[in-house]
Amino acid sequence: MKKKTQLIHGGIVGDEFTGAVSTPIYQVSTYKQNGVGNFKYEYSRTGNPTREALEALIRDLEGGHAGFAFGSGMAAISAILNMFKSGDHVVFTDDVYGGTYRLMSKVMNRFNIEVDFVDTSSPEKVKEAIKDNTVAIYVETPTNPLLKITDIRVMKEIADENSLLLIVDNTFSTPYFQNPIDLGADIVLHSATKYLGGHSDVVAGLVVVNSQKLAEELHFVQNSTGGVLGPQDSWLLIRGIKTLGLRMEQTEKNTKEIVKFLENRDDIETIWYPGREDHPGREIHLSQATGFGGMVSFDVGSGERAEEVLRKTKFFTLAESLGAVESLISLPPKMTHASIPRERRLELGITDGLIRISVGIEDAEDLIEDLRQALDR
């Protein structure tokens, strides 16, 4: 199956009982049993037909063994980390989503899960960070917000040499553009709130694993901790995923036009976008992904000017999140990455004047004009 076909026909399609083309919303908490222990579904925390259809769909899209749906991206990440034990150590991408950084530095450290944040675009730095108690390498590629690229195949080689799990956050590229399991990842995760949902109407997290062993371990954690996605939100995600290919293609088309516009201005200090010829790691990205996506970050020189730009945009909505049909604009140092200390942000390159945009599917001309009038003012 080609990708656009798989987005619509992957997983569990329709309803075998009624013939409904759309998977029904099974708004149910418990199920009648045909005798003690004789059942297909027992309790909706453990399994629900609508959530199961979504989990089968993301499994197929990522080419994995099993899929899991959670109440948020952070719930998904937390469940993965709950597979580890006190004293374990994980090597993380340094330029990681602020919520992930906060989880590791403020919550998981209470359970003695150790972490080192390193530049995973440098294999040597990853190797240097590995300890005797290291259990996994956790990668974002492209990263949030500087769009740094990590070679997934090389990370797999390092992981195998040290008997580690390789975990990849695939939120920015989506399974339409990138499939980390095909490149060697053991676990792939998504903040499905973003491109997979695509309409700013659902909060969810999805995980795909590449083996029965990991499937059993993660299902045990999911069922035990209970952070599952409800049937209504599961249905919304299935519906959103059907148009993922069309949305990603239009988003990327718009983004390329916007990057050209930014490149032609002399009041933009730096632009981060994997599709640019001089973007670090561009060739690596091309070797493992089929598209560049719709995320762009650029530095306008100062925090004051950045906030002024954000106040002036009309079609770019000032809001948290990304990956929706509407274009969004944000200031990472004061929004998505505010939980990271300023000294650390500056060390990473997340400057006070850094703006991040998530390009939507509006007409590119309108989006460019919106940015032009905001920057000119």
Side-chain angles (χ1 to χ4, degrees):
M1 255 191 290
K2 299 295 185 181
K3 285 197 173 181
K4 287 196 187 77
T5 305
Q6 192 177 39
L7 291 169
I8 296 169
H9 295 282
I12 300 170
V13 180
D15 180 48
E16 62 178 302
F17 301 108
T18 65
V21 174
S22 174
T23 301
I25 300 171
Y26 284 91
Q27 195 69 51
V28 57
S29 61
T30 193
Y31 308 83
K32 179 182 177 181
Q33 300 187 18
N34 299 315
V36 177
N38 182 14
F39 55 83
K40 183 174 182 180
Y41 297 98
E42 177 186 18
Y43 188 63
S44 276
R45 171 167 43 78
T46 308
N48 174 279
T50 314
R51 189 175 83 238
E52 183 180 72
L54 170 63
E55 292 174 333
L57 177 57
I58 193 62
R59 174 202 65 201
D60 289 354
L61 295 177
E62 284 290 10
H65 181 82
F68 300 87
F70 295 88
S72 69
M74 294 312 305
I77 297 171
S78 297
I80 293 169
L81 293 168
N82 276 324
M83 295 166 63
F84 304 140
K85 66 182 185 302
S86 176
D88 283 345
H89 172 256
V90 183
V91 177
F92 263 77
T93 295
D94 55 1
D95 178 31
V96 74
Y97 168 55
T100 306
Y101 179 89
R102 179 177 58 225
L103 173 68
M104 297 310 300
S105 62
K106 300 290 180 63
V107 179
M108 286 300 167
N109 62 333
R110 301 176 186 178
F111 303 96
N112 197 29
I113 299 292
E114 300 177 23
V115 60
D116 275 309
F117 293 97
V118 304
D119 182 358
T120 54
S121 66
S122 168
E124 291 307 313
K125 290 182 180 179
V126 174
K127 292 177 182 177
E128 290 170 3
I130 293 173
K131 306 176 182 178
D132 291 340
N133 59 334
T134 305
V135 294
I137 301 170
Y138 181 110
V139 169
E140 274 187 19
T141 183
T143 61
N144 182 3
L146 298 178
L147 299 153
K148 291 163 68 174
I149 306 301
T150 293
D151 191 323
I152 297 173
R153 293 184 182 91
V154 171
M155 290 301 106
K156 175 60 174 175
E157 292 174 3
I158 296 172
D160 283 351
E161 288 169 2
N162 295 275
S163 300
L164 310 178
L165 289 177
L166 176 58
I167 305 165
V168 178
D169 184 331
N170 199 31
T171 299
F172 273 21
S173 286
T174 82
Y176 188 70
F177 282 152
Q178 182 171 268
N179 296 114
I181 284 178
D182 290 345
L183 302 169
D186 299 291
I187 301 174
V188 177
L189 66 96
H190 296 269
S191 173
T193 310
K194 313 304 192 296
Y195 287 107
L196 296 180
H199 292 78
S200 298
D201 56 10
V202 62
V203 174
L206 296 177
V207 178
V208 178
V209 299
N210 73 345
S211 70
Q212 179 62 24
K213 179 177 183 294
L214 287 173
E216 290 173 358
E217 291 180 9
L218 190 56
H219 181 263
F220 178 80
V221 171
Q222 183 189 50
N223 189 45
S224 299
T225 57
V228 297
L229 190 64
Q232 175 77 29
D233 289 344
S234 295
W235 184 86
L236 283 170
L237 268 187
I238 293 171
R239 185 180 68 166
I241 287 172
K242 291 180 188 298
T243 61
L244 177 65
L246 299 175
R247 290 187 285 105
M248 293 305 291
E249 289 179 0
Q250 185 59 46
T251 292
E252 182 173 79
K253 182 180 178 182
N254 284 351
T255 304
K256 289 178 179 178
E257 293 300 312
I258 289 170
V259 170
K260 287 180 185 177
F261 160 74
L262 293 172
E263 287 174 336
N264 288 325
R265 294 187 67 98
D266 58 10
D267 58 350
I268 305 297
E269 294 196 358
T270 313
I271 303 169
W272 290 269
Y273 181 62
R276 298 188 73 207
E277 293 292 336
D278 61 350
H279 187 84
R282 181 179 187 273
E283 294 306 314
I284 293 173
H285 184 77
L286 279 172
S287 76
Q288 60 191 23
T290 58
F292 298 112
M295 300 302 301
V296 181
S297 293
F298 56 97
D299 192 333
V300 296
S302 70
E304 292 75 18
R305 184 172 186 234
E307 291 194 42
E308 190 67 20
V309 170
L310 268 56
R311 280 193 289 269
K312 301 298 184 183
T313 56
K314 299 174 182 177
F315 295 129
F316 279 90
T317 302
L318 175 59
E320 300 273 1
S321 200
L322 58 98
V325 292
E326 61 273 341
S327 295
L328 302 177
I329 191 166
S330 68
L331 189 64
K334 288 194 174 181
M335 296 174 70
T336 55
H337 291 67
S339 59
I340 300 176
R342 185 171 184 270
E343 311 79 60
R344 177 61 174 163
R345 291 199 305 267
L346 294 177
E347 181 183 334
L348 293 171
I350 304 173
T351 58
D352 293 341
L354 183 74
I355 291 174
R356 189 193 74 181
I357 58 173
S358 169
V359 181
I361 63 172
E362 303 95 334
D363 287 308
E365 294 85 351
D366 290 328
L367 297 176
I368 289 170
E369 182 55 36
D370 191 28
L371 287 175
R372 177 183 287 112
Q373 61 85 23
L375 288 164
D376 286 348
R377 291 186 185 183

